[in-house]
Amino acid sequence: MQAYSLAQDLAGKGKHEEAVAQYRRAVEKDPDFGRAYSGLALSLSNLGRTDEAEPHWKKALSLLDRMTEREKYRTLGLYYNRVARNYEKAIESFSTLVRLYPADSAGHTNLALAHFRTLNFQKALEEGRRAVEIYRGSVTTWNNYALYAMYAGDFATASAQAALIVKQYPDFPKAYLPLAMAALASENPSGARDAYATMAKAGPRGASLASMGLADLALYEGRVTDAQDILKAGVADDEKAKNTAGMATKYVALAEAYVAERKMALAVSAVESAMKLSRQDLGVLMPAANVFLTTGRENDARTIAAQFDTLQAQSRAYAKLVDGMIAARRRQPVVAVEAYRAALKLADFWLARFHLGVAYVEAGHYAEAISELETCLKRRGEATAVFLDDVPSFRYLAPLQYWLGRAKEGLGMTPVAAEHYKAFLKLRPQGHRDPLAEDARKRVKSP
């Protein structure tokens, strides 16, 4: 119990490496200590060591009959949230937990996370605030509140809370993410670079996340070669730290960087490396599907879509999204629109809105396109880490200005459209091989 209590305290402060050591000590003393196994699995997952975490989740579940009622709700809720991704069941478990034990900080913390996963950002903020009020000693809980504000597009609250956190806990890496994203949202890339530079000093996890953030920023700004260099170095560092999750997300970003330079063979190789490391992570599978489609490997994208087609509504929504992307690649905009709309009926996530807006442009339905694309602009907080995994993805916002230009040009709003094209071209320097940039330059020069 001493080791377990110490591990819980360390995990609450975001010190997962130290927490892992104490959880291991606890299960060595008592091999049937179920809650210690779930804590160990959670800390390993937070370190990106998902393969190591898996057997400990299974062990925790096998010991449910040795847990109290309160422990069962906590363990099952965590499993639904982090492994099964059955967020409705997670909400059910944690709602019951906080009803029975109203001051349970883990209950409110994880209920907030489950609401966040179902895209109910307002409920996530409410429960996150409640968790902070109950458990002021947990930097993880406090930082989650800042992150929920970031995803909700409330960058003022996100940066204000994050600034307080880093002042008190300068070695907590994720606290710098809201600062970086708030800077980018206010068109201050140097501020984002500064935040990532400080994050990189906060241990191996900070260095890994900062590396991904700097590469994401380079891709957003069209500095593709810089992004490739950063990502290759980041993969090597993650390999040393056994951070397979970090490696996988960097490999798919590297694949996107290769696609930007039309180096398709290298892009496929990078995606295949990512898939070997992670075949369940949404932040790997969705970019992988897109790269496969771009490189002409439709069957591989279909395989990923089939993997998404499960009982969970969000997973089925991503399967529909891939269907839409396949139709769009085949130049079937009407079929694509129907697939994206079907996805949105299952889960109203940012990527589906963006792809729907693009499909409307390509179908010549410009008024509908403006509605979807302006919604994406308003909800840009969701695109800061588009797969809701706290992995920077601001680069996905870069094409939004181009497509808004196309939609407004289609309605005869030529001067306004030109401003959108110019905003996009600021992020795409001369010589950049992006076909959207080439088209935008032609449209700006045309009468």
Side-chain angles (χ1 to χ4, degrees), residues 44-60:
L44 286 168
S45 296
N46 285 329
L47 289 168
R49 293 154 62 178
T50 51
D51 289 344
E52 285 184 65
E54 185 176 356
H56 299 300
W57 285 118
K58 291 180 179 178
K59 182 66 174 178

Side-chain angles (χ1 to χ4, degrees), residues 271-420:
V271 163
E272 288 175 341
S273 295
M275 296 287 284
K276 288 176 184 176
L277 293 165
S278 177
R279 291 188 172 273
Q280 295 183 331
D281 188 348
L282 181 62
V284 172
L285 294 177
M286 275 307 305
N290 193 35
V291 170
F292 280 139
L293 283 173
T294 305
T295 55
R297 295 178 55 163
E298 183 179 306
N299 287 338
D300 290 309
R302 288 191 181 279
T303 299
I304 290 175
Q307 182 174 334
F308 282 133
D309 198 6
T310 66
L311 291 174
Q312 281 75 48
Q314 279 199 32
S315 185
R316 297 200 308 276
Y318 278 102
K320 292 294 183 184
L321 177 58
V322 177
D323 289 343
M325 292 161 61
I326 291 171
R329 180 61 55 179
R330 290 183 167 192
R331 299 189 183 280
Q332 298 172 326
V334 175
V335 178
V337 164
E338 288 304 310
Y340 298 143
R341 289 171 66 181
L344 285 167
K345 287 179 182 178
L346 292 164
D348 185 1
F349 53 93
W350 191 91
L351 269 180
R353 290 278 174 193
F354 174 73
H355 282 284
L356 179 57
V358 172
Y360 274 136
V361 170
E362 294 181 331
H365 288 257
Y366 302 113
E368 292 91 336
I370 287 176
S371 174
E372 298 300 336
L373 296 170
E374 287 188 343
T375 296
C376 288
L377 191 60
K378 291 174 184 174
R379 288 170 50 178
R380 68 190 188 281
E382 295 170 47
T384 57
V386 76
F387 302 109
L388 309 183
D389 53 4
D390 304 339
V391 176
S393 66
F394 212 82
R395 61 191 182 278
Y396 292 139
L397 278 164
L400 183 56
Q401 291 291 346
Y402 168 83
W403 290 108
L404 276 166
R406 285 286 307 276
K408 292 182 180 180
E409 183 181 4
L411 291 179
M413 303 164 64
T414 307
V416 179
E419 293 305 311
H420 285 294

Side-chain angles (χ1 to χ4, degrees), residues 139 142 157-170 175 179:
V139 61
W142 188 5
T157 296
S159 60
Q161 292 296 316
L164 292 172
I165 294 168
V166 299
K167 187 175 181 180
Q168 191 169 342
Y169 302 98
L179 294 174

